[in-house]
Amino acid sequence: MTTVICLHAAVAQKSYGSEKRFLCPPPVVHIEGPVWHMRSQQLAMSVVSENGERSFEQKAPLDNTMTASFKFLHVTGTAKAKSFQLSLDIVEPPPAHPTAEGGDPPGGRVWAAFDSAPVTIISKPSKKTAKTRNISSCILAGGPVSLFNRINSQTVRTKYMTIDHAQLCASNVAWSAFNVNVVQRPNDAPPMGGPQPVTYGCEIILSDVQSGISTSPLVIRKVDKGRVSAEDGGPVSQMQKIALQRVNPDGSRHYLSAAGPIPGTPGVVAPPAPGMSSQAGTHPLIFQSPRVRDETKDGVRTITDEVDDYLCWTIVGISKFQYTFFDAFGQNNSIPEVPITPFPTLFTSPVYRPANNTVEMTVSNFFYDDPKSGTQTPLAVYLGNIGPLRQRVYQATPPGPLTSISPFIPNPTPIDTGSHENASIGATSVSSVLASPRYVQSAPLHTIVIVEMPSLMDVIKALEEDAIPPNGNILGQTSSSENEASTSGPHLDGNPPLPPPPSITGRSLPLLFIRASDGVGYHSGRTIACENVFQTMDLGTMAAASASSPSGTSIDTSWLAAAQAAAAVDGGLHGWTLRVI
């Protein structure tokens, strides 16, 4: 499978007039998985305003690690704009042919376009402590952040915190996302319900999202006008300047510094990290002492740490969008003729109906343009390597006071020839609409899909085979003889099938959407597991709990023992069911 991952800041500052406040940290795209010669593809990213206008498109090549960075994107617009989106295009290189002198070369074909969630626009970082109730402007505990250092507010003198050669470094070419893990809160404040904001004075550990490498415990402090505020205990806001403090056993304080290591400088403790940096402009981080100001005012003595710019870090939350697709036919030799986007997306979690062994789900973009027939065609549904599964497709009725007519969806062959009694209320059967050229073709915004699941023995067999055939092909159909042998009834020789082995515990099969015309596949983000509701119950524990109950009431476990015994006799399928994960 191929996965496109983009990490970007959760907020961004607006540019005014002719200034350009580049997105910081710059959005980074990483592609995993070899499909369709991805290294030769061109990547372009644009800023999309709230009214859909695209601006400031930037192109970036993929490096040897299949990573691209977009360093020159910025946001402009009206003062009323509250957010924007990032749009990533993957473009097939245009064919090489001569162009007229002075003319622009032809653009390539866009075969994938991915959009981010809305990114909040701020005018400037708040100097006041954030309100806990405004959770969207706070840095959340456990969430990913980026930290960067900037001298004299100059963009060209920006260094990002990153991991290089398994050590914490400052770099002007790369950045890493770190999870903020709160170790201890000031005054042992009890945690509140819901998302927890990081507050000043917390002892935190920064853990690299990709490698898991962590820092030693550090205290997060607020910086105001070059001074560390030790008394502020409010939530940390987006884009605020902070200092990361280490308190030594003797009570002295050092701060994490983005300055280059200077051997022999008093108070400098360089981390023991052998090896050279693999990136230009990258060096290990060090700890340095602040300037300590000891003042007495009105008989009150105060000790304040003064810090220079290289001891200050700007902190910002990180957001991510991620899309996974694959070539179901295993060819990986050509770019699809039809764009692979928009992706089919689940509106809600699929629901398993054990009474009729079906899964019901609501999906957007479930239809695509078939280049051969020129019609809107539904995607095929697979469970791991089992499929295509039988499905019934319904379109949700659009809201209207006097009509229940659904838009026409051309379908030359019925999707399902069976009964439609299981259709949801307020839904219209798509397969009951006949194709006719006089209607305007339009795909439904979202579709209700009812998928008939394979038998339990087929699912168990696929789990045993690890859902991937030896030839590496994602898809494969079970032969008719295998279907006959995998039914839940007794075998032809009169012996019952073997009970499901415990090896399938904790394993699941992915729920996949496949374009039958060219084999483009999508991971739904959900999987199906097989579990036994009786075997997970411990009779001994239940009996012991019943005996020690203070009320003196006892639990009759004989029915459960009988059910577990039946599970061992009845082919091992008694009590087994499917579960959506």
Side-chain angles (χ1 to χ4, degrees):
M1 291 189 178
T2 296
T3 300
V4 178
I5 304 171
C6 178
L7 298 177
H8 60 90
V11 300
Q13 285 186 266
K14 183 184 298 184
S15 301
Y16 293 92
S18 60
E19 68 177 356
K20 294 181 180 180
R21 295 183 179 179
F22 298 128
L23 302 186
C24 196
V28 171
V29 175
H30 179 67
I31 298 179
E32 300 175 352
V35 171
W36 300 318
H37 308 290
M38 291 296 296
R39 191 178 298 277
S40 64
Q41 303 303 299
Q42 298 177 354
L43 270 60
M45 184 172 287
S46 303
V47 173
V48 182
S49 64
E50 290 177 328
N51 57 10
E53 294 181 359
R54 299 168 66 96
S55 59
F56 309 112
E57 180 180 86
Q58 181 192 347
K59 296 181 180 180
L62 288 166
D63 61 16
N64 293 333
T65 63
M66 298 296 287
T67 301
S69 180
F70 299 87
K71 300 180 179 180
F72 305 109
L73 296 174
H74 61 282
V75 182
T76 59
T78 63
K80 296 182 180 180
K82 301 297 182 182
S83 65
F84 67 94
Q85 284 181 289
L86 295 174
S87 179
L88 173 67
D89 292 343
I90 302 181
V91 184
E92 184 180 14
H97 56 79
T99 58
E101 185 176 353
D104 295 331
R109 180 175 66 92
V110 177
W111 58 272
F114 307 104
D115 295 330
S116 72
V119 181
T120 302
I121 297 175
I122 62 175
S123 175
K124 58 183 178 179
S126 173
K127 293 185 178 181
K128 298 181 180 180
T129 302
K131 301 294 184 181
T132 306
R133 63 177 178 269
N134 188 13
I135 200 72
S136 61
S137 64
C138 299
I139 300 296
L140 300 181
V145 299
S146 171
L147 297 108
F148 59 91
N149 174 271
R150 186 169 285 170
I151 304 298
N152 296 332
S153 300
Q154 296 180 11
T155 303
V156 294
R157 302 183 68 182
T158 302
K159 294 181 180 180
Y160 304 96
M161 190 180 296
T162 187
I163 295 293
D164 186 71
H165 267 61
Q167 59 183 320
L168 196 63
C169 295
S171 172
N172 57 13
V173 294
W175 61 274
S176 299
F178 295 87
N179 288 328
V180 183
N181 302 313
V182 176
V183 178
Q184 184 177 2
R185 294 185 177 272
N187 304 323
D188 294 327
M192 301 173 294
Q196 302 292 311
V198 178
T199 57
Y200 287 107
C202 281
E203 188 176 34
I204 64 171
I205 291 178
L206 298 175
S207 177
D208 179 43
V209 171
Q210 186 172 3
S211 66
I213 297 175
S214 300
T215 66
S216 58
L218 302 169
V219 180
I220 186 168
R221 297 295 187 187
K222 185 176 182 179
V223 177
D224 185 20
K225 297 180 180 179
R227 293 190 176 189
V228 174
S229 175
E231 303 300 327
D232 195 322
V236 181
S237 294
Q238 298 276 9
M239 301 288 286
Q240 281 188 334
K241 282 189 176 183
I242 65 167
L244 296 173
Q245 181 189 78
R246 186 188 66 185
V247 180
N248 301 313
D250 60 358
S252 61
R253 298 170 300 279
H254 287 104
Y255 293 88
L256 196 61
S257 170
I262 305 175
T265 303
V268 174
V269 182
M276 298 294 292
S277 171
S278 62
Q279 300 171 345
T282 302
H283 60 79
L285 293 182
I286 60 176
F287 284 96
Q288 287 187 306
S289 301
R291 294 188 304 273
V292 180
R293 179 181 292 271
D294 192 341
E295 298 177 322
T296 301
K297 186 176 182 180
D298 297 332
V300 179
R301 182 188 179 191
T302 58
I303 299 177
T304 307
D305 290 343
E306 293 185 343
V307 290
D308 293 320
D309 284 349
Y310 52 81
L311 298 180
C312 300
W313 298 88
T314 300
I315 186 169
V316 60
I318 295 299
S319 296
K320 178 178 75 171
F321 62 87
Q322 175 176 318
Y323 296 87
T324 298
F325 55 94
F326 58 93
D327 182 359
F329 295 163
Q331 298 174 354
N332 295 331
N333 56 3
S334 62
I335 301 298
E337 296 181 9
V338 179
I340 67 172
T341 51
F343 265 54
T345 306
L346 293 173
F347 271 75
T348 57
S349 176
V351 178
Y352 176 62
R353 309 291 186 187
N356 48 16
N357 194 32
T358 60
V359 168
E360 181 178 330
M361 50 191 172
T362 303
V363 191
S364 65
N365 305 314
F366 191 70
F367 286 75
Y368 67 96
D369 292 315
D370 191 322
K372 297 179 181 179
S373 63
T375 60
Q376 290 280 326
T377 305
L379 297 168
V381 180
Y382 281 72
L383 181 62
N385 65 333
I386 306 175
L389 301 177
R390 186 179 175 90
Q391 64 189 35
R392 299 191 294 275
V393 181
Y394 305 87
Q395 181 189 350
T397 304
L402 299 175
T403 179
S404 61
I405 300 175
S406 63
F408 168 69
I409 300 167
N411 184 26
T413 57
I415 298 175
D416 177 55
T417 57
S419 171
H420 296 276
E421 295 178 357
N422 294 322
S424 299
I425 298 176
T428 303
S429 171
V430 172
S431 59
S432 63
V433 182
L434 299 178
S436 174
R438 61 181 177 174
Y439 292 102
V440 178
Q441 299 181 6
S442 63
L445 176 62
H446 61 275
T447 308
I448 297 173
V449 184
I450 299 178
V451 183
E452 296 183 12
M453 289 288 101
S455 66
L456 285 173
M457 285 306 298
D458 283 343
V459 175
I460 292 170
K461 182 178 180 181
L463 286 169
E464 292 174 341
E465 296 174 351
D466 207 22
I468 299 181
N471 60 4
N473 194 357
I474 293 294
L475 301 182
Q477 292 189 354
T478 307
S479 64
S480 58
S481 60
E482 291 174 338
N483 284 332
E484 293 173 358
S486 61
T487 57
S488 59
H491 284 195
L492 297 178
D493 57 4
N495 296 323
L498 295 176
S503 60
I504 67 172
T505 304
R507 296 165 64 182
S508 60
L509 296 174
L511 195 60
L512 306 173
F513 302 131
I514 308 293
R515 276 195 333 209
S517 63
D518 56 6
V520 173
Y522 309 90
H523 197 304
S524 68
R526 295 289 180 170
T527 60
I528 304 292
C530 190
E531 61 183 9
N532 192 299
V533 295
F534 295 124
Q535 290 184 357
T536 56
M537 299 181 183
D538 188 351
L539 291 178
T541 303
M542 294 178 64
S546 174
S548 60
S549 174
S551 60
T553 58
S554 61
I555 301 176
D556 184 11
T557 59
S558 59
W559 66 271
L560 181 57
Q564 291 182 341
V569 174
D570 189 19
L573 292 177
H574 189 73
W576 284 85
T577 186
L578 301 180
R579 181 168 64 92
V580 179
I581 300 178

